[in-house]
Amino acid sequence: MRYPPADLADVDDDIRAQILEVADKSGFVPNVFLALARRPAEFRAFFAYYDALMEKESGNLTKADREMIVVATSAINRCLYCVVAHGAMLRIFQKDPYIADVVATNYRQADISARQRAMLDFAVKVCEEPWAVDESDHAELAEHGFDDEDAWDIAAITGFFGLSNRMAHISGMIPNPEFHLLGRVPHEKK
């Protein structure tokens, strides 16, 4: 591996605490945390922006919507790590063990609402040809209850995960085996 992951024992205390908090909730350390921890300033910036985009409770996007955007656009970018890891989160938030596979392969065939389809149409356009986004795209979102701030969130999530997808590719990051079962089989509580 060209960029070996950080050793948890060697990372800064705040980063270790953040990683251990995630591990406590999930039961494992997602590979992305150790891959990015090798550069502490970038780790902090990455996860601060991740939290700002993915953990916020405001706007018209649910957590499932946010994960759906990541899965659809990461599939276009052929990012196995993000499709599998965020597919797991999508299955959990959407409460559907099949949704992520269809969204990753062809979201237009997924059993999703017209609202979610419009959201993904916009995200995919931002992913594939952002220069072509125009007023008609915003009008289509508005017809489904999305405002300009929601459009910003959709675009920001798409853009942020474009970065994440590329770093996962160049680092050779692979998804943890645990992600493959999340949201498909009942989770045992500790």
Side-chain angles (χ1 to χ4, degrees):
M1 186 177 222
R2 180 173 299 273
Y3 301 100
D7 184 324
L8 191 56
D10 297 334
V11 300
D12 293 347
D13 291 342
D14 64 313
I15 293 173
R16 183 180 312 103
Q18 187 173 352
I19 292 171
L20 291 175
E21 181 180 335
V22 168
D24 186 51
K25 288 179 185 174
S26 66
F28 64 98
V29 175
N31 290 336
V32 66
F33 285 86
L34 295 177
L36 296 179
R38 58 185 296 281
R39 290 187 163 200
E42 291 173 31
F43 176 99
R44 291 180 187 101
F46 181 93
F47 285 106
Y49 197 39
Y50 174 93
D51 289 346
L53 292 173
M54 301 300 286
E55 300 297 331
K56 74 195 261 182
E57 297 292 334
S58 62
N60 292 315
L61 298 177
T62 66
K63 286 189 176 196
D65 291 338
R66 293 169 194 281
E67 296 296 345
M68 195 176 288
I69 293 164
V70 177
V71 172
T73 59
S74 294
I76 289 166
N77 292 326
R78 299 181 184 176
C79 181
L80 178 64
Y81 186 90
C82 290
V83 166
V84 171
H86 291 277
M89 300 311 298
L90 173 56
R91 289 189 300 272
I92 290 167
F93 292 136
Q94 191 80 10
K95 297 177 178 43
D96 180 345
Y98 306 105
I99 188 71
D101 299 326
V102 183
V103 168
T105 341
N106 183 353
Y107 73 90
R108 290 175 184 92
Q109 292 179 334
D111 184 16
I112 58 177
S113 68
R115 176 190 162 283
Q116 288 171 318
R117 191 169 321 281
M119 172 190 76
L120 292 182
D121 286 343
F122 185 78
V124 166
K125 189 167 186 180
V126 169
C127 181
E128 293 181 324
E129 48 183 353
W131 57 87
V133 172
D134 60 23
E135 190 53 42
S136 68
D137 299 299
H138 290 273
E140 180 68 22
L141 283 177
E143 286 179 27
H144 290 90
F146 294 107
D147 62 22
D148 285 345
E149 294 305 313
D150 299 322
W152 181 284
D153 286 343
I154 295 166
I157 292 165
T158 301
F160 177 77
F161 279 94
L163 163 72
S164 180
N165 298 159
R166 283 150 181 82
M167 297 313 293
H169 279 297
I170 69 105
S171 68
M173 198 182 310
I174 58 168
N176 303 64
E178 294 90 343
F179 281 125
H180 293 278
L181 296 180
L182 288 175
R184 295 187 200 273
V185 297
H187 181 69
E188 292 182 26
K189 299 276 184 194
K190 292 182 183 180

